[in-house]
Amino acid sequence: KSGLDPGGAWHAWGMACLKAGNLSSAREKFNRCLKPPMDLNQLNHGSRLVQDVIQYLESTVKPILIADDDYFATLRELEATLRTRSLSLEMMCEGKVQHNSYYQECLFYLHSYGTNLAIISFYMRHDCMREALLHLLNKESPSEVFIEGIFIPSYESGKLHMLENLLETIDPGLESWGVYLIAACKYLQRKNYYHILYELQQFMKDHVRAAMTCIRFFTQGAKSYTELGGRQTWLLKIKDHLKVYLQEVSRSSGRKKMAFTFRKKMSATDVSRHINTVDLQMEVTKFLHRCESSGTSQMTGSSLPTLFGNNNMKMDVACKVMLEGKNIEEGFGIAFRVLQDFQLEATEVYSKVAKQLVKQQKYSEIRQLLKCVNESGVAAKNDGDNIILNCLNEFKNLPAEDLDNLIQDMDSDENKIQAYVMCNKLRSAYLVSVKQEKTRAVQLVQHVRQLAENSGDDVVKAICAQWL
């Protein structure tokens, strides 16, 4: 009469019937106020009213053992129980759920009015993980439901191995679980749960991604190469994963292609390249660990460079290896391989090292660096000259004699003149200029005279004028 929503009254009446143990009558009342959710895959447990019903039934757990104590049950209850059982036969769970009419009642309400997440969570609460997984597959629920309803409860209760075993039992190739497993990996990565992630990747036989996780274990948070020296087992694990992946690829290429839909793919060439990187990183780690232990290490940077970073970081590794040995020559071989393997800009790296040597006042080492570069066999004719020219601003602080020696070591006279001019040693520039072929000599001496005039060096200006 008053036009009020009767839903609340029906719900209260239904709860009263439940509490009186009249299950079939409760169903009839709830049928008038409970509605199935619009979207079965929404990430909640359905309406508050349904949750109240389930909560009450689960807390009561009043066993009606169908065989013996049938005087507890009215005929209508027995009929209702049997009807529910036929409803959920597809998912029947062994154990207490199966043999208890109140639990069966829960399943009736969940299947009629609950979301997939509510059904799956119910199975998980009552140790029916297999049923939860089958329900997920049958309903093709999205990965969020798997994460929320099955995966998180499994690892939080220490049942990850049980989950893995069931996934494999239901589908030995794991293909039907691919979407869910990748989603679980992404979730773990977001949460920074890398140890669980690594365990899961090994279970998935996703060797490339497992290798990537090992790289993270090797590099993360390390402050020194002494620390990395203690983590070398991770480098061995990276190699193992990549080698196993290579074997699997070569095995599968012989017969028909394996359907590795969800595992990360990589070409054999790339995998071999990564294995080489790991080998080289092992050499670098051993060398720098030894340097740090013997106290020859000089550099202290904010972040620790490894060969798993970008090209700039790899260049930093090459610099570090050259600068941290007893002398330049000791680390040059490894640094040279780093430059070659990753096709890095060698002159830039050598110039960086030279500038650092000036800061450390190791002037004799600069000549040793140039000697190593020239003897490396791949240096272009002017590489040594370019290193000196790149570093002249820093070299201006060198003692005069060391600077002269460096410039005299240069290959090209043109470069020598350029270097002398940049260091404002105009007399030396003049002396090299006059040795050139006549026409070129005239141009060079004129240039030196102009510079002398601009800088007010009357002596050099007069010498140039006289020669001209």
Side-chain angles (χ1 to χ4, degrees), residues 130-148:
R130 181 186 171 82
E131 284 64 30
L133 287 167
L134 289 172
H135 184 84
L136 181 87
L137 270 190
N138 288 347
K139 301 295 179 188
E140 296 180 354
S141 291
S143 48
E144 291 81 6
V145 174
F146 170 72
I147 301 288
E148 200 71 30

Side-chain angles (χ1 to χ4, degrees), residues 218 228-237 282 285-286 289:
F218 175 72
L228 288 184
R231 298 184 186 180
Q232 290 186 70
T233 46
W234 287 114
L235 293 177
L236 295 171
K237 284 183 179 175
M282 283 184 102
T285 307
K286 283 173 185 161
H289 181 198

Side-chain angles (χ1 to χ4, degrees), residues 35-37 40 87 107-114 119:
K35 292 184 179 64
L40 288 173
L87 247 176
L107 283 174
F108 167 78
Y109 286 108
L110 286 167
H111 281 285
S112 305
Y113 310 109
I119 297 167

Side-chain angles (χ1 to χ4, degrees), residues 23-40:
L23 302 182
S24 54
S25 187
R27 284 190 186 192
E28 187 193 327
K29 308 295 178 282
F30 284 130
N31 188 37
R32 294 171 181 266
C33 63
L34 297 180
K35 292 184 179 64
M38 298 287 282
D39 174 13
L40 288 173

Side-chain angles (χ1 to χ4, degrees), residues 147-164:
I147 301 288
E148 200 71 30
I150 299 175
F151 186 70
I152 295 176
S154 296
Y155 79 70
E156 282 182 347
S157 58
K159 291 181 180 169
L160 194 56
H161 283 302
M162 186 201 274
L163 171 62
E164 289 172 351

Side-chain angles (χ1 to χ4, degrees), residues 360-427:
Q360 295 173 10
Q361 299 187 337
K362 294 183 173 176
Y363 306 125
S364 60
E365 291 286 301
I366 297 170
R367 293 186 83 175
Q368 193 181 17
L369 170 67
L370 295 170
K371 179 170 169 280
C372 289
V373 170
N374 290 329
E375 287 173 359
S376 65
V378 295
K381 183 160 171 40
N382 284 337
D383 273 4
D385 290 8
N386 289 335
I387 293 165
I388 294 172
L389 290 172
N390 285 347
C391 302
L392 271 180
N393 282 333
E394 281 74 12
F395 286 176
K396 284 173 186 171
N397 307 325
L398 258 64
E401 190 184 344
D402 286 305
L403 182 55
D404 266 344
N405 288 341
L406 276 176
I407 295 176
Q408 280 165 26
D409 283 350
M410 292 172 91
D411 279 329
S412 142
D413 281 351
E414 293 275 343
N415 287 336
K416 282 181 190 173
I417 295 162
Q418 192 184 339
Y420 281 132
V421 165
M422 285 169 79
C423 295
N424 220 19
K425 292 177 171 287
L426 298 181
R427 185 185 169 82

